[in-house]
Amino acid sequence: NIDTELLRALPKAELHLHLEGTLEPELMFALAERNEITLPYDSVEALRDAYEFGNLQDFLNLYYQGAAVLQSEEDFYDLTLAYLARCAEDGVVHVEPFFDPQTHTARAITMACQFRGILRALEEGHKRWGITSRLILSFLRHLSEEDAVVTLQQALPWREHFVAVGLDSSEKGNPPEKFQRVFDQVRALGLKAVAHAGEEGPADYIAQALDLLKVVRIDHGVRCTEDEQLVKRLIDQQIPLTVCPLSNVRLKVFSQMSDHNIMQLLKRGMCVTINSDDPAYFGGYLLDNFLAVRDAIGMSKAEAVQLARNSLTASFMDSETLTQHL
Ligand code: ADE
Ligand code: ZN
């Protein structure tokens, strides 16, 4: 097995990370106080104790409730900068974070406030730690396609400040098909498409994301193994999967880490990557996810190097930056 410090030192990119999912209980309480909001928990410990999830929806309920403390540009700045500080400790050289604008515009927090805070922190993170970034705007799939269309319109003034659009939230019953028209608009704007698929939803949602939304990466995708033809296609076309091991165990996609299929997929030649999804809720940042997989399943030095390399080649960084890291 690869040594922890070697893993830390490997240049890695994080491609599946929700900024709202990096809101640590301590920061949640601090922002609640700053914004004069009362949280339905007595303490940081009581809040952490509530992080026991039976499925994706259990988690999403707490995640949306927590995000309500984010109100000002400064709040989005503090959230994003705290995440980048953790990245620096873990040897993360490049990040492609998601944010969910609809979670905030629904509370009358403007798109401008969100973009300004996040972008200023990404610049500061580049200055302080040399971390490069590409931002991804994500639609909430439990809302209507019309709502996503309006959100895309609202984001147009920041067109040059994000590179892709994603699709997240409650997967089952909200297939990629529901968002086909808005993703046509996304791609017509020259933006890349990605989507959560095959986390709780069936393998068919992965195929739909590829065929109907024309995504260039699949977020999660671990249920692909339920369709052998699809597995072959993902390998042939080298479609990257952004897998989130600790998330999958905490949301009961796999009952324990030793059951996770990521290393089997890697051994079959799929372009899988390791990511943290919502680290404040799932008990670990990027390096913790690598370590959890190593300790439960095993990870050789060559496999770790391949996983780190996949994260760089599957990223949207420019080719010059990529060459520097490889
Ligand atoms: N939003 C934040 N994390 C998510 C996940 N793992 N799946 C779907 N939506 C999400
Ligand atoms: Zn996710």
Side-chain angles (χ1 to χ4, degrees), residues 14 16-18 21 51-60 63 98 168-169 171 196 198-200 219-222 242-257 260 262 273-286 288-290 292-293:
E14 175 142 73
H16 185 158
L17 179 285
H18 303 265
Y51 292 175
E52 193 68 55
F53 314 114
N55 55 36
L56 174 59
Q57 194 61 49
D58 278 356
F59 155 70
L60 289 171
Y63 164 85
F98 294 116
D168 63 14
S169 192
E171 187 182 8
H196 284 52
E199 177 188 21
E200 272 196 353
D219 296 313
H220 295 295
V222 290
T242 64
V243 178
C244 307
L246 285 171
S247 165
N248 292 157
V249 174
R250 294 294 285 266
L251 299 186
K252 312 272 196 284
V253 173
F254 295 95
S255 47
Q256 48 192 356
M257 194 58 84
H260 204 290
I262 183 165
T273 65
I274 289 185
N275 305 271
S276 69
D277 206 6
D278 302 285
Y281 292 89
F282 301 146
Y285 287 79
L286 189 62
D288 302 311
N289 275 271
F290 272 87
V293 171

Side-chain angles (χ1 to χ4, degrees), residues 1-4 7 289-299:
N1 272 359
I2 185 170
D3 162 77
T4 302
L7 257 178
N289 275 271
F290 272 87
L291 298 178
V293 171
R294 180 197 67 185
D295 295 344
I297 308 172
M299 185 188 292

Side-chain angles (χ1 to χ4, degrees), residues 37 59 65 79 99 119 178 210 271 288:
I37 294 168
F59 155 70
Q65 180 186 78
L79 176 77
F99 74 118
L119 292 171
K178 177 177 165 186
L210 293 168
C271 182
D288 302 311

